[in-house]
Amino acid sequence: GAGVSQTPSNKVTEKGKYVELRCDPISGHTALYWYRQSLGQGPEFLIYFQGTGAADDSGLPNDRFFAVRPEGSVSTLKIQRTERGDSAVYLCASSNSGAGDTQYFGPGTRLTVL
Amino acid sequence: LAKTTQPISMDSYEGQEVNITCSHNNIATNDYITWYQQFPSQGPRFIIQGYKTKVTNEVASLFIPADRKSSTLSLPRVSLSDTAVYYCLVGADNYGQNFVFGPGTRLSVLP
């Protein structure tokens, strides 16, 4: 079956602009995660959804970052007033449900803020 | 604070067995140990997960001593295509503080 997909694969924007990054999880997976990965570093947790609700958003760096999952499947990560420091690969993962489930990652969206 | 500690890098040759050890001194009773592999320009990929003793699947083995304060990922007879970064994660419940990826171990397999 299809894996986790993310669009766009690359996004270049200018400082101060607004961007949206999309994640399509594996069908039927109730849990969805967003991570950010900088060059040479491991993925950094941003937010976790269980169904439509954000069960844990403790990783969001500030109020410029926001994510939604209105129907419990597709999720959108929204970044307002982008800064050069936001440049990174944004990864999405989904898992079936419950604690300790394997997370399946998408290929990521490479965001570059000029 | 990072929950796990791994070597930053390792080198090996094709055909050798590679063992990567992860320290997790503060592991909780309910925590599982999960290893992921990541190739450049790709998202991490699940390799193996365990709770105690030994787990084996078609690609790797995971050894966990009785005190569970460390674990060792064993890759038998590595090939050039096993060159990647390997991450060890410890956690149980689906809360953000458990999804802490360290810098991982960069494995380079040489011909």
Side-chain angles (χ1 to χ4, degrees):
Chain A
V4 177
S5 63
Q6 294 185 245
T7 54
S9 56
N10 282 283
K11 176 70 176 179
V12 180
T13 191
E14 294 179 342
K15 180 175 179 291
K17 299 291 188 181
Y18 168 82
V19 296
E20 290 189 352
L21 311 179
R22 176 186 169 109
C23 172
D24 283 82
I26 292 173
S27 178
H29 279 191
T30 61
L32 185 146
Y33 318 80
W34 283 98
Y35 294 83
R36 176 170 69 175
Q37 187 171 28
S38 300
L39 190 63
Q41 303 296 315
E44 171 193 5
F45 169 79
L46 296 177
I47 187 170
Y48 153 61
F49 286 91
Q50 184 60 254
T52 61
D56 187 342
D57 64 357
S58 62
L60 295 177
N62 51 60
D63 61 5
R64 296 187 297 105
F65 289 75
F66 189 71
V68 296
R69 195 185 184 200
E71 298 179 356
S73 56
V74 171
S75 177
T76 304
L77 178 66
K78 307 180 181 190
I79 310 175
Q80 298 177 324
R81 304 183 304 279
T82 52
E83 301 177 355
R84 293 192 178 87
D86 298 334
S87 297
V89 175
Y90 288 81
L91 294 164
C92 174
S94 69
S95 68
N96 189 28
S97 65
D101 277 350
T102 299
Q103 295 185 39
Y104 297 88
F105 283 80
T109 293
R110 181 174 298 278
L111 175 66
T112 303
V113 182
L114 301 177
Chain B
L1 294 177
K3 296 180 67 172
T4 62
T5 303
Q6 304 172 233
I8 292 298
S9 64
M10 295 180 69
D11 291 338
S12 182
Y13 291 95
E14 280 191 294
Q16 289 187 331
E17 177 184 81
V18 171
N19 296 308
I20 305 174
T21 297
C22 179
S23 297
H24 27 81
N25 292 320
N26 297 320
I27 190 168
T29 303
N30 294 334
D31 284 345
Y32 284 81
I33 300 157
T34 310
W35 285 80
Y36 286 84
Q37 174 192 56
Q38 187 175 27
F39 298 112
S41 301
Q42 295 185 25
R45 181 175 74 101
F46 171 86
I47 302 175
I48 197 166
Q49 183 182 71
Y51 183 80
K52 63 180 179 180
T53 63
K54 177 184 174 181
V55 179
T56 297
N57 62 22
E58 63 275 10
V59 297
S61 294
L62 180 60
F63 298 92
I64 305 168
D67 66 6
R68 305 202 324 124
K69 293 184 182 298
S70 67
S71 59
T72 298
L73 174 72
S74 182
L75 305 173
R77 301 182 60 79
V78 293
S79 64
L80 296 177
S81 63
D82 292 316
T83 293
V85 179
Y86 292 82
Y87 297 99
C88 162
L89 270 75
V90 170
D93 296 325
N94 276 333
Y95 294 108
Q97 66 267 26
N98 289 315
F99 306 139
V100 178
F101 287 78
T105 297
R106 186 173 299 275
L107 174 66
S108 298
V109 180
L110 308 173

